[in-house]
Amino acid sequence: VSRNLNRFSTFVKSGGEAFVLGEASGFVKDGDKLCVVLGPRGPEWQENPYPFQCSIEDPTKQTKFKGMKSYIAYKLVPSHTGQQVHRRYKHFDWLYGRLAEKFPVISVPHLPEKQATGRFEEDFISKRRKGLAWWMDHMCSHPVLAQCDAFQHFLTCPSTDEKAWKQGKRKAEKDEMVGANFFLTISVPTGPGAGLDLQEVESQVDGFKAFTKKMDESALQLNHTANEFARKQVTGFKKEYQKVGHSFKCLSQAFELDQQAFSAGLNQAIAFTAEAYDAIGDLFADQPRQDLDPVMDLLALYQGHLANFPDIIHVQKGALTKVKESKRHVEEGKMELQKAEGIQERCNIISFATLAEINHFHKIRVRDFKSQMQHFLQQQILFFQKVTQKLEEALHKYDSV
């Protein structure tokens, strides 16, 4: 079977090609095995038997080199140890790089983007913490990533033990189960009924490819719309409501010039209405932080996931191409059947892992968008209730006029 001419393709760089062609060799320890099982929706990653979560709190400014260098450290508390550790963004960045390199068929969520200026501004730190919290949730939710040695080292190595941190870091960087050898660690279902139909796999992967393209487009559109709407609320809507409030205030000031005792109640009620509209303007300006910003944070995380899938699909497609090529060679008498069967078997391993990852993506997508849409609508209802309350308070001021 010929090799890909493009040596820079993901299929080649990930080690997928070398694995499918039977060039990977390494000893797989039991602890390194990644199991794919058959679930109700098809291939799935075997669940983590000891699920856990990890909170990210209290970003604090710290210094080193006698105050010459400043950085922000985040407090992480994993639920399975209960021991807090402090990590900088550069530690997250190192971990992301290791995992993205090690797991070519798993979507490692992208980190919140780096920023050169304004790193110590309160709004930026708060936004980054929320982004890292989403990232951490997705890491802990993934049956493979959550149990990975590098991730566990990141979560559990004491912040004060520099030597232990460096040792764990070096061990992760010297990991031999990367590239083509990584695929050796994947254990797939065997026995009757556990085989994969190539055409069905191809159809499922093509369907998912079309889905991710459409989801990416709609996420981009929703992000743009939400951003624009938030901007209007913070500036335009606030300004317009406060303009109405100012006009009512001018009217009440004009009425006060009549100096009639019986109209004092009306003047006060109109002045109160002016204040209500002013307050509603402030409510509009504060609202995006409660409902639209969290939606945009989620969209940013998923846009990172969607950017990963073309490469994951490319690895699987490359493996399928090799199987088709080997079958053709067998028919033409250029290859032994046994060798072609070996290629198909190894392609199946990549297909099982890809389908398991697709299933996991859909599972967390439904979970995340359900909870985020519920939160969004709850916050919208609370917001309009506050607006209604302000207007009702203003209305009651006229009862005694």
Side-chain angles (χ1 to χ4, degrees):
V1 175
S2 63
R3 290 176 167 279
N4 280 34
L5 293 173
N6 178 8
R7 305 311 292 160
F8 297 101
S9 80
T10 314
F11 181 48
V12 175
K13 289 198 305 185
S14 68
E17 184 188 66
F19 171 70
V20 169
L21 297 181
E23 294 167 7
S25 61
F27 176 70
V28 183
K29 300 196 290 285
D30 281 348
D32 289 335
K33 280 186 181 166
L34 312 175
C35 295
V36 177
V37 296
L38 283 174
R41 293 182 298 274
E44 294 178 352
W45 294 113
Q46 191 173 49
E47 284 298 318
N48 181 357
Y50 307 107
F52 65 93
Q53 291 172 317
C54 179
S55 63
I56 298 183
E57 302 296 340
D58 303 337
T60 51
K61 192 173 180 181
Q62 297 185 2
T63 58
K64 58 194 270 190
F65 306 131
K66 294 182 180 175
M68 287 171 70
K69 186 173 175 61
S70 300
Y71 58 88
I72 299 295
Y74 299 86
K75 182 175 87 177
L76 277 59
V77 184
S79 62
H80 62 317
T81 65
Q83 301 295 312
Q84 66 178 50
V85 294
H86 288 88
R87 297 287 180 251
R88 295 171 57 181
Y89 181 84
K90 75 167 194 176
H91 297 137
F92 283 92
D93 201 34
W94 168 80
L95 177 65
Y96 169 77
R98 291 304 314 141
L99 299 180
E101 186 187 342
K102 181 172 170 65
F103 297 111
V105 289
I106 289 174
S107 176
V108 181
H110 288 206
L111 286 167
E113 288 180 0
K114 291 181 181 179
Q115 188 165 312
T117 56
R119 287 181 301 135
F120 301 117
E121 287 173 12
E122 204 172 311
D123 277 356
F124 172 72
I125 293 168
S126 169
K127 188 171 173 58
R128 175 175 272 185
R129 190 201 66 76
K130 287 173 190 165
L132 289 173
W134 268 117
W135 184 86
M136 184 57 75
D137 178 66
H138 273 226
M139 293 294 293
C140 296
S141 301
H142 199 288
V144 174
L145 297 176
Q147 298 181 81
C148 166
D149 287 348
F151 183 50
Q152 285 298 325
H153 174 65
F154 173 83
L155 290 179
T156 58
C157 181
S159 320
T160 49
D161 195 339
E162 193 67 27
K163 189 181 175 186
W165 171 257
K166 282 183 177 169
Q167 279 174 345
K169 197 163 170 272
R170 271 198 299 273
K171 186 185 171 192
E173 286 161 3
K174 285 180 180 173
D175 187 356
E176 289 177 4
M177 289 296 142
V178 294
N181 285 356
F182 160 74
F183 295 99
L184 295 172
T185 64
I186 299 169
S187 159
V188 300
T190 53
L196 289 176
D197 180 271
L198 280 185
Q199 279 183 315
E200 202 179 304
V201 171
E202 198 165 9
S203 166
Q204 279 182 271
V205 172
D206 284 343
F208 182 70
K209 190 178 178 181
F211 166 81
T212 52
K213 187 174 182 290
K214 194 70 183 165
M215 182 179 170
D216 197 31
E217 287 168 8
S218 57
L220 202 66
Q221 185 190 358
L222 177 56
N223 198 32
H224 175 73
T225 306
N227 212 351
E228 191 65 15
F229 192 57
R231 190 185 60 77
K232 283 177 182 171
Q233 281 189 238
V234 172
T235 53
F237 292 8
K238 177 183 178 181
K239 198 174 167 185
E240 293 303 318
Y241 271 87
Q242 291 183 342
K243 208 187 277 183
V244 172
H246 179 70
S247 300
F248 280 133
K249 194 176 182 181
C250 290
L251 181 68
S252 75
Q253 286 168 344
F255 280 7
E256 278 169 13
L257 296 176
D258 72 346
Q259 295 179 345
Q260 299 291 331
F262 64 83
S263 71
L266 176 67
N267 301 346
Q268 284 165 6
I270 294 175
F272 189 86
T273 306
E275 286 167 17
Y277 270 80
D278 205 49
I280 290 170
D282 285 330
L283 285 175
F284 267 102
D286 290 339
Q287 190 54 24
R289 210 175 301 167
Q290 315 302 327
D291 53 26
L292 288 170
D293 283 0
V295 169
M296 289 191 279
D297 287 341
L298 180 67
L299 290 173
L301 182 87
Y302 271 85
Q303 282 172 308
H305 272 305
L306 294 168
N308 290 336
F309 277 106
D311 281 348
I312 293 171
I313 290 168
H314 184 71
V315 173
Q316 199 274 333
K317 288 279 186 192
L320 273 180
T321 305
K322 296 294 177 211
V323 172
K324 288 175 184 174
E325 213 177 304
S326 67
K327 280 186 172 177
R328 201 170 61 247
H329 286 347
V330 169
E331 286 165 13
E332 292 167 2
K334 293 177 184 175
M335 182 186 270
E336 294 168 17
L337 181 62
Q338 195 181 355
K339 197 172 181 185
E341 283 172 349
I343 287 175
Q344 175 151 354
E345 206 176 287
R346 290 186 288 275
C347 170
N348 272 355
I349 289 173
I350 292 178
S351 296
F352 265 117
T354 307
L355 293 175
E357 188 58 20
I358 287 171
N359 258 332
H360 177 73
F361 176 79
H362 283 314
K363 194 173 162 185
I364 55 165
R365 174 181 61 83
V366 170
R367 177 201 73 177
D368 290 345
F369 278 87
K370 175 195 170 182
S371 70
Q372 201 54 67
M373 289 307 297
Q374 284 175 325
H375 175 80
F376 173 75
L377 292 170
Q378 283 160 356
Q379 290 300 321
Q380 282 275 291
I381 291 164
L382 281 173
F383 167 68
F384 285 107
Q385 281 172 344
K386 284 179 197 168
V387 171
T388 307
Q389 192 183 346
K390 291 282 177 198
L391 296 173
E392 282 175 345
E393 282 170 10
L395 176 63
H396 292 317
K397 292 290 175 186
Y398 293 87
D399 292 347
S400 57
V401 173

